[in-house]
Amino acid sequence: MKLLDKSFEVFISRDKIQDKVLNLADKINSDFFGKDVLFISVLNGSFMFTADLMKNISIDSEITFVKMSSYVGTSSLGNVDQLIGLNHKLKDKSIIIIEDIIDTGITIDKIMNLLSIEGAKEIKVCSLLFKPNSFKGKYKPDYIGFSIPNAFVVGYGLDYNQKGRNLDSIYKINELC
Ligand code: IMP
């Protein structure tokens, strides 16, 4: 399979992803039974995972979507991170952040830092993919679909220069081409 200048091969099939998503939803349904849960889906990459996961969530819950953004502040502080789209009150809620992939862990650390000041009761992270060999962060995901090696992957929401998000399987870059 080719996307722009790179070639990719199937890495995790559609069926394996769907089985894993069901499995993750089951665990969340039992761990959070009876709690007041707000899912926070981090766009863009997690849109497909979020849709499939949420179809199998049976606990009473709400969902909202955010985007990480960075702008150059007016002071000497340099870049300032912000979460766009967060308009729910987090106070006393159980939060589950939905991510597509956690690689170095820098993004999830920033998100956790921004959310932890909002007074949530607990914050857990659910990521479909996790690259343990490149992870240097503070917050390891609580729910992991697949731990994968450090190869670049696309599909099922993940992109290569904005291409490939629509694919229903996950593909790995073919280093030999
Ligand atoms: P972080 O290194 O954990 O902060 O991940 C930053 C972001 O890099 C993720 O949210 C993804 O958007 C992107 N990313 C990391 N690894 C991959 C990959 O293999 N394919 C596509 N995007 C990736």
Side-chain angles (χ1 to χ4, degrees):
M1 195 270 299
K2 215 160 161 87
L3 286 175
L4 302 170
D5 58 330
K6 301 271 190 267
S7 112
F8 294 84
E9 60 196 2
V10 175
F11 181 49
I12 309 173
S13 69
R14 175 187 186 278
D15 288 353
K16 283 205 175 117
I17 296 171
Q18 295 303 325
D19 284 353
K20 188 64 79 175
V21 170
L22 265 179
N23 200 253
L24 288 169
D26 282 350
K27 275 194 206 139
I28 291 171
N29 285 332
S30 89
D31 291 355
F32 287 83
F33 185 77
K35 291 188 176 177
D36 188 7
V37 179
L38 172 65
F39 288 89
I40 300 181
S41 169
V42 184
L43 295 174
N44 293 331
S46 65
F47 80 95
M48 210 177 271
F49 175 42
T50 301
D52 285 343
L53 184 76
M54 293 311 293
K55 281 183 254 178
N56 295 289
I57 291 294
S58 53
I59 48 172
D60 195 15
S61 60
E62 293 172 24
I63 179 149
T64 191
F65 298 86
V66 297
K67 231 176 166 171
M68 263 303 284
S69 134
S70 179
Y71 65 93
V72 179
T74 48
S75 69
S76 57
L77 288 171
N79 282 19
V80 180
D81 297 308
Q82 62 174 353
L83 271 178
I84 299 173
L86 189 67
N87 42 24
H88 278 62
K89 294 262 172 294
L90 307 194
K91 185 133 183 49
D92 299 330
K93 291 220 176 234
S94 293
I95 308 294
I96 302 176
I97 301 170
I98 307 177
E99 269 284 20
D100 52 347
I101 188 164
I102 293 180
D103 183 7
T104 63
I106 289 170
T107 308
I108 195 65
D109 277 5
K110 287 179 180 174
I111 293 172
M112 288 296 266
N113 289 338
L114 290 166
L115 291 182
S116 58
I117 52 177
E118 304 278 338
K121 191 161 86 184
E122 59 180 330
I123 308 178
K124 303 285 183 197
V125 178
C126 174
S127 184
L128 180 68
L129 302 174
F130 178 52
K131 291 184 182 170
N133 299 334
S134 92
F135 183 72
K136 298 177 195 69
K138 206 165 127 197
Y139 302 100
K140 190 172 173 265
D142 303 278
Y143 299 90
I144 296 170
F146 302 93
S147 288
I148 63 168
N150 275 358
F152 187 80
V153 291
V154 294
Y156 199 69
L158 291 134
D159 74 304
Y160 168 52
N161 286 349
Q162 301 306 325
K163 304 286 184 194
R165 292 194 197 273
N166 55 308
L167 300 164
D168 64 1
S169 299
I170 292 172
Y171 293 75
K172 183 163 82 80
I173 197 159
N174 194 340
E175 306 285 4
L176 302 173
C177 296

